């Protein structure tokens, strides 16, 4: 495969920025064009719900690279514009200002879009999402007023914003249809830990509750729940998930299924077009099926891999999924990918400030693991998953047995 003369990257988030960095690190010395819809240079999103939202860090500290990186590395960074169309056969993209760019390789790293469910009153002012730096700035202004905020959705983003808001002294109500926070991703048993965590910090949890609508004059003033109760509020934040931003790829005729379908080399259904980050649903060699992950670490690693793969690297992308979260004084890391039928084994007590959890499949293999405030645990957990060997659940649950492969694996 001849070396490309021009590589275009559509999407200047973490995946796109790391792909550009990777290309230069691999010795590619020809044209790179990095195009971002936001007016900002690439930045990291995790601080938006944490330290940036609380005013403890700046936007500059969230940048993926320092201010001079793109000029120093001869990366053409185009901010504040969209790619409006992709022409696979012509190997060209068109920008919203009419510019046309030819490419030899194209990386689609268009990210994801916050969901806004069709709830009555959803067009009122004061109903926020959190995805961009501009979203975070608007929400910071809301939190500075110290009024009540209602968060709809007790997933990662809802829980992290709830924690940050409470740390700022804001009254918070957290609403979700599930019985516990994070139940959809961690299950009810571990979700109970986060129920207690947020209640201890003063969050008003309304669980098992659906939203019937929002009410107010021009701005939202109250939220009505499905059981007929209402909650007065100054603002609402929707944290009900994101959708992969596939519109550009779909219009170009690329295969779409829960994101842009790609193979284990991140190649899409169109020649010379690759995908990475939130938008990519890429075949994973370990799981023998496409996997799409919405997290900073995945975008960083997959974007870096995309740079190598666009230059013809032979090693497919096979990293273990990974994510982290910080809420109050609680930090966690999760690695792997558990299935709906996997059972959970907890090492320690959920009432303690530090514990581990392991998901086991029907053959007692560890498919995923997590720790809370136990920072030496993640590497041993990774080794258990990567081994693919059956484990002894009793050993995993015992604090008296080290979490090492030779200690907990069946002989």
């Amino acid at each position: 495969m001849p070396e490309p003369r021009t590589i275009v990257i559509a999407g200047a988030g973490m995946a796109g920025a790391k792909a550009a960095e990777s290309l230069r690190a691999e010795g590619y010395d020809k044209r790179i064009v990095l195009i971002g819809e936001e007016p900002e240079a690439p930045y990291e999103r995790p601080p938006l719900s944490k330290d940036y939202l609380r005013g403890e860090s700046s936007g500059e500290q969230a940048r993926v690279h320092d201010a001079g990186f793109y000029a120093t590395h001869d990366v053409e960074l185009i901010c504040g514009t969209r790619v409006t169309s992709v022409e696979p056969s012509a190997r060209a993209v068109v920008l919203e200002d009419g510019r046309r760019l030819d490419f030899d390789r194209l990386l689609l790293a268009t990210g994801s879009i916050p969901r806004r469910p069709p709830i009555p009153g959803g067009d009122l002012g004061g109903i926020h999402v959190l995805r961009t730096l501009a979203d975070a700035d608007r929400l910071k202004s809301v939190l500075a007023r110290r009024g009540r905020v209602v968060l709809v959705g007790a997933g990662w983003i809802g829980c992290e914003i709830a924690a940050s808001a409470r740390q700022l002294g804001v009254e918070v109500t957290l609403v979700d249809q599930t019985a516990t926070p994070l139940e959809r991703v961690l299950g009810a048993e571990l979700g109970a830990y986060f129920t207690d965590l947020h209640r201890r910090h003063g969050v008003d949890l309304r669980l098992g509750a659906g939203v019937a609508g929002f009410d107010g004059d021009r701005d939202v003033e109250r939220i009505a729940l499905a059981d007929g109760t209402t909650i007065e509020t100054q603002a609402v934040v929707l944290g009900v998930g994101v959708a992969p931003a596939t519109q550009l790829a779909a219009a170009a005729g690329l295969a779409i299924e829960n994101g842009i379908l790609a193979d284990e080399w991140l190649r899409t259904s169109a020649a010379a077009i690759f995908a990475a980050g939130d938008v990519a649903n890429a075949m994973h060699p370990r799981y023998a099926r496409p996997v799409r992950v919405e997290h900073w670490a995945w975008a960083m690693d997959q974007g870096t891999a995309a740079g190598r793969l666009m230059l013809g690297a032979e090693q497919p992308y096979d990293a273990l999924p990974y994510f982290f979260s910080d809420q109050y004084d609680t930090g966690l890391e999760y690695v792997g990918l558990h299935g709906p039928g996997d059972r959970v084994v907890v090492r320690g007590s959920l009432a303690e400030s530090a514990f581990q959890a392991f998901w086991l499949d029907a053959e007692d293999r560890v498919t995923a693991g997590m720790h809370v405030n136990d920072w030496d645990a993640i590497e041993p957990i990774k080794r258990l998953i990567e081994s693919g060997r059956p484990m002894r659940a009793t050993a995993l649950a015992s604090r008296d047995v080290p979490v090492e492969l030779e200690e907990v694996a069946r002989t």
Side-chain angles (χ1 to χ4, degrees):
M1 179 167 56
E3 185 175 65
R5 294 164 298 177
T6 299
I7 296 178
V8 173
I9 302 170
M14 175 60 79
K18 295 301 285 188
E21 176 188 327
S22 175
L23 286 165
R24 291 297 186 230
E26 292 294 315
Y28 178 70
D29 60 1
K30 298 180 174 59
R31 190 183 186 196
I32 302 173
V33 185
L34 176 60
I35 305 162
E37 185 172 349
E38 293 182 59
E40 310 283 347
Y43 60 87
E44 302 184 10
R45 299 190 192 278
L48 302 187
S49 60
K50 305 179 186 72
D51 45 309
Y52 182 79
L53 188 60
R54 297 191 299 269
E56 298 167 2
S57 67
S58 68
E60 286 305 312
Q61 289 173 291
R63 302 295 178 195
V64 178
H65 299 111
D66 62 53
F69 174 87
Y70 302 99
T72 301
H73 291 81
D74 194 23
V75 175
E76 298 174 41
L77 176 61
I78 303 174
C79 296
T81 192
R82 292 185 303 116
V83 176
T84 56
S85 65
V86 175
E87 301 173 6
S89 59
R91 296 197 178 183
V93 299
V94 178
L95 309 189
E96 62 182 340
D97 61 9
R99 277 181 287 176
R100 182 184 179 90
L101 297 174
D102 295 330
F103 64 81
D104 297 288
R105 303 280 187 280
L106 170 65
L107 176 65
L108 296 176
T110 46
S112 53
I113 303 167
R115 297 183 187 275
R116 286 182 175 266
I119 299 171
D123 57 348
L124 289 168
I127 299 176
H128 300 262
V129 295
L130 181 57
R131 178 66 183 172
T132 68
L133 201 60
D135 292 336
D137 287 338
R138 286 188 287 269
L139 191 52
K140 284 173 75 171
S141 297
V142 170
L143 298 181
R145 300 201 298 266
R146 297 295 192 272
R148 177 170 292 278
V149 173
V150 175
L151 297 166
V152 178
W156 295 116
I157 195 71
C159 286
E160 290 177 356
I161 296 172
S164 289
R166 287 301 297 138
Q167 288 171 279
L168 292 170
V170 176
E171 294 298 312
V172 174
T173 298
L174 183 58
V175 179
D176 201 289
Q177 293 179 327
T178 59
T180 70
L182 300 168
E183 183 173 326
R184 292 183 181 89
V185 286
L186 299 180
E189 181 180 357
L190 292 172
Y193 170 82
F194 293 93
T195 299
D196 179 65
L197 175 69
H198 285 281
R199 281 193 174 137
R200 283 191 284 109
H201 285 87
V203 176
D204 174 20
L205 289 169
R206 306 291 183 95
L207 300 170
V211 176
F214 306 112
D215 187 38
D217 291 331
R218 289 184 300 178
D219 294 333
V220 65
E221 298 172 12
R222 66 195 63 84
I223 176 173
L225 302 183
D227 64 4
T229 60
T230 60
I231 306 166
E232 300 294 319
T233 187
Q234 283 195 346
V236 169
V237 183
L238 299 175
V240 291
V242 296
T246 58
Q247 297 87 338
L248 185 66
L254 274 61
I256 305 295
E257 182 183 311
N258 183 34
I260 303 173
L261 278 176
D263 64 16
E264 56 265 53
W265 290 276
L266 306 183
R267 299 176 301 202
T268 71
S269 58
I273 301 180
F274 295 71
D278 285 12
V279 76
N281 191 21
M283 180 62 67
H284 197 291
R286 172 175 292 274
Y287 304 108
R289 64 177 177 83
V291 171
R292 188 175 71 84
V293 176
E294 300 161 358
H295 198 272
W296 165 90
W298 190 257
M300 178 177 66
D301 292 344
Q302 200 171 63
T304 299
R308 298 192 300 268
L309 292 167
M310 286 189 290
L311 296 178
E314 296 181 358
Q315 175 62 40
Y317 184 73
D318 60 357
L320 287 176
Y322 165 89
F323 66 78
F324 69 89
S325 180
D326 296 300
Q327 300 168 40
Y328 312 106
D329 56 355
T330 294
L332 68 87
E333 294 178 287
Y334 170 105
V335 64
L337 186 65
H338 68 270
D342 294 351
R343 72 187 192 280
V344 178
V345 174
V346 175
R347 171 177 288 237
S349 169
L350 298 185
E352 299 176 4
S353 60
F355 64 87
Q356 299 171 28
F358 306 87
W359 281 262
L360 302 180
D361 65 14
E363 284 75 42
D364 289 335
R365 296 171 299 192
V366 178
T367 57
M370 182 184 88
H371 78 80
V372 168
N373 291 338
D374 193 353
W375 299 103
D376 294 329
I378 200 67
E379 290 303 322
I381 292 172
K382 285 181 183 178
R383 290 193 286 272
L384 298 184
I385 297 168
E386 290 169 344
S387 76
R389 293 171 59 184
M391 305 294 161
R392 293 179 293 130
T394 54
L396 288 173
S398 174
R399 283 268 173 94
D400 295 328
V401 180
V403 185
E404 297 295 342
L405 182 60
E406 59 273 16
E407 299 289 343
V408 299
R410 292 180 186 168
T411 57

